[in-house]
Amino acid sequence: MIQPKPNIVHLPVYQPGKPIEEVKRELGLSHVVKLASNENPFGCSPAAKAAVAEELANTALYPDGSAAELRDALAAHLGVDGDQLIFGAGADEVILMIARAYLRPGDETVMASDTFGQYKHNAEVEGAKVVEVPLRDGKHDLQAMLDEVTEKTRIVWICNPNNPTGTIVTHKEVEAFLGRVGEDVLVVLDEAYSEYVMTPDYANGLELLRSFPNLVLLRTFSKIYGLASLRIGYGIGHADVIRAINQVRPPFNTTRAAQKAALAALGDRSFIERCRTANAEGLRYLSAEFARLGLSHYPAYGNFIMVDTGKPSAAVFDGLLRRGYIVRAGHQLGQFPTHIRVTVGSREQNEGFIRALEDVLASLRVKA
């Protein structure tokens, strides 16, 4: 039998949050709330839904491989040139393309030890050596990451806000890092949750891009825009970097429906602002409830929050699951044996989650 590349044989397969349908079927539940994958609880813009419905008439047609209409609108929205953008089937595919374009066997790539797992996965597929730097208080330790950069380093990955902890590095911190890392190292700043961040010292990637040609930004329509199922994300960089990444992009990698939905969603700013406001309210509510329960959590800037329950995360996850709430257990996301990560839901979902969490923690105290 033909054998695959030896470096991929033992790679873990990405494990998403459990699907609602699966939980209903396994546990016999009629009502299940998924707060595991940082999806938008309010869905997407009605304009995006209408755009998808209209595109059903064109399912026999290939999409525009260059996504020209969406590219022009997004470039105007961001204040960049069209040749500074590349689209993928979610930001995940842009990560894959960056790794494929820039990493060779024996190269090194630096990232946090507890961050989005697709950086490591795709680097290892390309045969690169992964250098992981521990977080400090749940946050990227940029100085320690800088100390690990060598002449073999090709890419540094910074997730901001970081998934799974929700913490950020500031504009000054990222700017100082970029000023010292060297122009021959590509720095990927993953801003998948940037639209949710409301603090003024958050790193302005678009501003930094004007000064640092070795910077690439990652963004997505999966989160605040609510188009996760359509799989469309994008990268922003200098034209020569984007041109190199485009060399490995599969043809027709984003669908007509995804492009049209993203274009419509981009134009509905009122929907985005409502989601931002509701998310901020949800973060305040959950933070206050965790304080009431005596639970600590990492500072949260995206649309999720990582809280230390003080109990084994697998047991808390299972208890919540049986009560109809799907979250992510910390031991599956890194070195967080007593943490869970929960997506900010609607007010009703947040309140229901807190009631379920109280019930689970009380039952675990009784068992102990």
Side-chain angles (χ1 to χ4, degrees):
M1 180 182 293
I2 187 169
Q3 298 296 312
K5 295 193 298 185
N7 60 302
I8 72 166
V9 173
H10 301 293
L11 292 183
V13 176
Y14 179 73
Q15 297 296 323
K18 287 178 73 70
I20 291 174
E21 296 79 9
E22 180 181 327
V23 174
K24 286 182 176 180
R25 184 173 60 252
E26 287 182 357
L27 299 178
L29 299 173
S30 59
H31 179 69
V32 174
V33 176
K34 185 183 178 189
L35 300 175
S37 299
N38 305 338
E39 296 150 329
N40 189 336
F42 306 106
C44 68
S45 163
K49 293 180 182 180
V52 172
E54 187 175 338
E55 269 303 310
L56 291 177
N58 298 317
T59 56
L61 303 178
Y62 282 107
D64 175 2
S66 67
E69 188 178 12
L70 175 60
R71 181 187 307 276
D72 290 347
L74 185 59
H77 174 71
L78 298 172
V80 299
D81 295 330
D83 60 3
Q84 292 184 255
L85 296 171
I86 187 165
F87 295 92
D92 299 340
E93 189 184 34
V94 183
I95 293 168
L96 181 153
M97 290 189 288
I98 291 171
R100 182 171 294 173
Y102 283 98
L103 291 177
R104 299 162 297 191
D107 286 340
E108 294 182 359
T109 181
V110 177
M111 63 194 68
S113 57
D114 299 299
T115 191
F116 186 46
Q118 289 302 290
Y119 314 144
K120 181 177 181 178
H121 177 86
N122 285 290
E124 290 184 332
V125 167
E126 301 302 327
K129 176 185 176 183
V130 175
V131 179
E132 296 180 279
V133 177
L135 298 173
R136 176 176 290 185
D137 298 325
K139 177 180 170 180
H140 280 67
D141 188 342
L142 293 185
Q143 180 57 56
M145 293 175 72
L146 187 66
D147 292 342
E148 294 293 340
V149 173
T150 72
E151 68 278 359
K152 293 184 178 181
T153 304
R154 298 279 288 169
I155 305 177
V156 176
W157 308 84
I158 302 171
C159 190
N160 198 39
N162 184 47
N163 181 7
T165 55
T167 56
I168 63 166
V169 282
T170 67
H171 187 89
K172 288 184 178 179
E173 289 169 330
V174 177
E175 185 175 36
F177 178 87
L178 288 166
R180 296 179 61 193
V181 74
E183 292 185 1
D184 56 344
V185 176
L186 188 69
V187 177
V188 180
L189 187 62
D190 188 342
E191 300 181 323
Y193 302 95
S194 62
E195 291 91 352
Y196 285 111
V197 183
M198 303 182 84
T199 185
D201 59 349
Y202 178 61
N204 186 331
L206 289 170
E207 180 179 316
L208 292 169
L209 193 61
R210 300 189 189 105
S211 302
F212 298 100
N214 57 325
L215 178 64
V216 173
L217 311 178
L218 297 178
R219 294 190 180 182
T220 183
F221 286 96
S222 294
K223 302 305 179 183
I224 201 167
Y225 289 98
L227 302 180
S229 70
L230 295 180
R231 312 308 303 128
I232 185 160
Y234 58 99
I236 318 165
H238 279 247
D240 53 349
V241 174
I242 296 301
R243 191 177 305 113
I245 301 170
N246 199 48
Q247 291 295 109
V248 300
R249 180 180 62 82
F252 311 120
N253 63 322
T254 61
T255 67
R256 291 181 63 98
Q259 291 176 26
K260 291 292 187 180
L263 181 63
L266 192 65
D268 191 349
R269 302 311 303 170
S270 62
F271 175 81
I272 299 303
E273 287 307 315
R274 289 196 301 273
C275 292
R276 275 169 53 88
T277 299
N279 184 74
E281 292 172 353
L283 282 176
R284 286 193 293 270
Y285 170 78
L286 290 173
S287 297
E289 288 298 295
F290 292 150
R292 178 179 65 82
L293 296 172
L295 306 178
S296 63
H297 63 85
Y298 290 114
Y301 294 91
N303 70 331
F304 57 94
I305 188 165
M306 197 170 212
V307 58
D308 187 351
T309 67
K311 300 293 180 182
S313 59
V316 177
F317 168 84
D318 185 67
L320 287 168
L321 197 66
R322 295 181 182 281
R323 291 161 176 81
Y325 286 86
I326 312 171
V327 299
R328 291 300 297 270
H331 72 284
Q332 296 177 326
L333 298 170
Q335 303 301 311
F336 306 102
T338 60
H339 287 71
I340 58 171
R341 191 196 70 190
V342 56
T343 304
V344 178
S346 66
R347 179 75 186 200
E348 180 183 6
Q349 291 171 338
N350 294 335
E351 291 174 349
F353 160 73
I354 289 296
R355 289 193 297 270
L357 179 63
E358 282 190 275
D359 192 27
V360 169
L361 294 179
S363 69
L364 291 175
R365 284 193 292 269
V366 170
K367 291 178 181 178

